[in-house]
Amino acid sequence: MDAIDQAAVAAKTDEAVLETLILDHKRFILGCAAKAAGRFLTDSDDEWSVALMAFHEAVGAYREDKGHFETFASTVIRRRVIDYLRSQQKYAPELSVSPESFGGELEEDSSGLDLEVRSTAAKLADDSDENQPGTSAARDEIDAVQAILKDYGFSFFELTECSPKAGKTKDQCGKAIAVLMLLEHPPLMQKLRRTRSLPIKELCMASGVSKKLLERHRKYIIAAAEILDGDFPILGEYLSYIRKAVTKT
């Protein structure tokens, strides 16, 4: 058992450990809840309370044979938030749940993500002041991108799982996105929006990027292209290296 797993076991009987565990995992809890809800959340939303109770439930139910604690807690949180949203009829038309929400699989390390989905969402979640400069604008951009990506069948917050981590992979994705957006290849972007599907075969031939990599990072490439081709200056800053590649090409 690693330190987090041991802390979760200790938190069952030690209130101080439990309080520390919750404080250290605030962003994790909000991230799980946001992914299940498919939208940006703060600790002022009802989903936060549901997620917090679910985290507490996960601590109480956790055993070593359940695997890594954060994986187990993530599954419990998502299920409870989804159950809550389903109980609220006003959210029903907007709710879209991916199979991964119930998979309980350990999420990959999100460090180095170009879209900085986790840190962007977490930063906004920590900014409780609605009047803080940039907070409202960033939230508006996330909501707008979320609406676009919904037509492609995935959520903004799913990008934490499919964004490139390694530098070489990141460069290859950037190359594919640049080619997708080039003026001499307008049919690719048009086909993307018409079919709501990445034209992998054509993009593979035009960019030289492998089919396997394009399929693996399909969501990231689609989201990046839509962000860079739209009016999203804040999110676009995280993809400036691609914008420069498009300009130079």
Side-chain angles (χ1 to χ4, degrees):
M1 297 178 70
D2 62 25
I4 295 175
D5 297 340
Q6 293 174 356
V9 172
K12 290 184 179 183
T13 56
D14 191 325
E15 287 293 331
V17 175
L18 176 61
E19 182 176 344
T20 299
L21 192 67
I22 291 174
L23 288 174
D24 290 344
H25 282 75
K26 179 178 179 180
R27 293 187 176 185
F28 169 82
I29 297 170
L30 270 172
C32 292
K35 182 175 180 181
R39 66 185 182 88
F40 171 75
L41 296 175
T42 73
D43 55 10
S44 298
D45 290 297
D46 292 339
E47 289 87 345
W48 159 251
S49 298
V50 174
L52 187 59
M53 288 189 289
F55 185 83
H56 195 282
E57 175 188 344
V59 171
Y62 178 69
R63 299 191 309 270
E64 184 177 358
D65 62 2
K66 292 186 179 293
H68 188 55
F69 171 71
E70 289 185 341
T71 305
F72 175 69
S74 174
T75 302
V76 175
I77 292 170
R78 292 177 188 176
R79 286 175 175 170
R80 294 296 173 262
V81 171
I82 289 168
D83 287 342
Y84 168 76
L85 293 178
R86 283 176 172 163
S87 71
Q88 306 296 305
Q89 291 186 355
K90 63 179 180 179
Y91 290 113
E94 301 175 4
L95 182 59
S96 175
V97 183
S98 63
E100 290 84 355
S101 296
F102 298 95
E105 297 179 358
L106 181 62
E107 294 182 351
E108 296 180 43
D109 178 17
S110 62
S111 60
L113 294 181
D114 292 293
L115 293 181
E116 297 288 349
V117 179
R118 284 186 192 274
S119 61
T120 300
K123 179 181 183 299
L124 295 175
D126 286 342
D127 294 336
S128 57
D129 184 359
E130 292 290 333
N131 296 318
Q132 182 161 346
T135 301
S136 179
R139 184 184 295 112
D140 288 344
E141 285 194 15
I142 290 176
D143 289 342
V145 171
Q146 178 79 314
I148 292 173
L149 299 184
K150 184 178 179 181
D151 289 338
Y152 288 97
F154 64 94
S155 164
F156 175 83
F157 295 97
E158 289 181 55
L159 299 178
T160 58
E161 297 178 347
C162 60
S163 299
K165 313 293 190 296
K168 185 176 180 180
T169 304
K170 175 181 173 181
D171 290 342
Q172 287 293 294
C173 284
K175 182 179 180 181
I177 296 163
V179 170
L180 181 63
M181 296 178 63
L182 285 177
L183 293 178
E184 55 260 42
H185 294 289
L188 293 184
M189 199 69 184
Q190 291 171 7
K191 185 173 182 179
L192 170 70
R193 287 171 171 160
R194 184 177 69 254
T195 64
R196 297 299 177 185
S197 178
L198 188 68
I200 291 178
K201 182 178 179 180
E202 297 95 323
L203 188 55
C204 179
M205 294 179 62
S207 67
V209 177
S210 72
K211 178 181 178 182
K212 183 177 180 180
L213 187 146
L214 293 175
E215 290 176 338
R216 181 180 301 169
H217 299 289
R218 174 184 64 84
K219 295 177 181 177
Y220 172 84
I221 294 170
I222 291 173
E226 287 288 3
I227 288 171
L228 289 173
D229 198 50
D231 185 21
F232 305 109
I234 297 175
L235 294 178
E237 280 299 310
Y238 297 111
L239 296 161
S240 58
Y241 76 100
I242 299 173
R243 192 185 298 278
K244 291 177 182 177
V246 174
T247 303
K248 291 179 180 179
T249 306

